[in-house]
Amino acid sequence: MAQARAADAVVNAASSDHRGAVEALLDALAGSGKVFLHTSGSSIVGDASGGEASEQIYFEDHLPTPGADKATRLAIDELVLAGAARGVRTAVLCNSLIYGHGALPRDSVQLPRLLKQARKSGVMRHVGPGRNIWSNVHIDDVVALYLLALEKTRAGVFYFVESGENSFGELSAAMAVALGLGPPEDWPLPLAIAEWGYEMASYGLGSNSRVRGRRARAELGWVPAGPSALAWIGADMLRPRP
């Protein structure tokens, strides 16, 4: 808490689900007027469809009532936003599927899971028929938005972070081409859960999470400039980290 009080601003990028850490940071920053950015993830609107498509799109001012699997995370997001009433310039940055090579030796979540499984088995696979759609965003655009939010965000704001969307069938097909493998195969959800675990298979890879991030563009002047997910897979996914 002392480090949070001494900092110019605080960014929680460690865990979207650790309520105790968020409570401690809000207590430390209360009344300071400092910026607190909390990282969430757009699986809060995931439907665990087993790889089937959905036409449902979510906007920042109309979030759904979460199911039991995501109620805890959304409650933490709401706790952060409520910190505005305690004199903290809070914002929640709710990232969609992130792709691209970051500066740290740490992979993002979803596409690396597909890549690892394909390299291990020699078969590119997606959950169910792969028709499920996720919004996505390049890591460089995520970084640019965090910098803008640190400087310009107003208090108590929720931002979806996205610059496009693709089905997992499209993503896995592009990855199969990049790896020199045959067309991707449908994988029944129980087998996907055995490989990736319930949370990752059901929500990270087997759900729809279609969101639109209008606030960052309108209020912060964010202009995503990174390559599309399919372009990045084809040109850069297999390159060594910079």
Side-chain angles (χ1 to χ4, degrees), residues 37-119:
L37 304 183
H38 174 71
T39 303
S40 185
S42 69
S43 65
I44 60 171
V45 302
D47 58 6
S49 71
E52 294 292 349
S54 171
E55 297 300 316
Q56 180 69 58
I57 297 175
Y58 294 98
F59 298 88
E60 290 149 324
D61 51 354
H62 289 97
L63 296 179
T65 300
D69 288 335
K70 293 299 172 181
T72 300
R73 176 175 292 185
L74 191 56
I76 293 172
D77 292 349
E78 292 170 346
L79 177 66
V80 172
L81 298 177
R86 302 178 62 192
V88 187
R89 193 144 62 98
T90 57
V92 172
L93 280 73
C94 190
N95 295 295
S96 53
L97 184 155
I98 298 174
Y99 59 93
H101 297 304
L104 299 175
R106 175 73 169 88
D107 287 326
S108 58
V109 176
Q110 288 139 304
L111 298 189
R113 298 296 200 286
L114 297 179
L115 180 61
K116 182 179 179 180
Q117 189 285 136
R119 282 175 160 164

Side-chain angles (χ1 to χ4, degrees), residues 165-226:
E165 66 176 20
N166 294 98
S167 71
F168 270 86
E170 292 171 326
L171 296 169
S172 59
M175 293 173 74
V177 171
L179 291 165
L181 300 176
E185 295 182 0
D186 299 357
W187 218 12
L189 182 59
L191 296 180
I193 290 174
E195 174 72 16
W196 292 307
Y198 172 78
E199 174 75 15
M200 178 55 56
S202 299
Y203 285 98
L205 300 172
S207 67
N208 294 276
S209 179
R210 306 181 67 186
V211 302
R212 297 293 182 267
R214 294 174 173 175
R215 278 199 188 116
R217 293 166 169 85
E219 298 185 10
L220 305 180
W222 182 56
V223 181

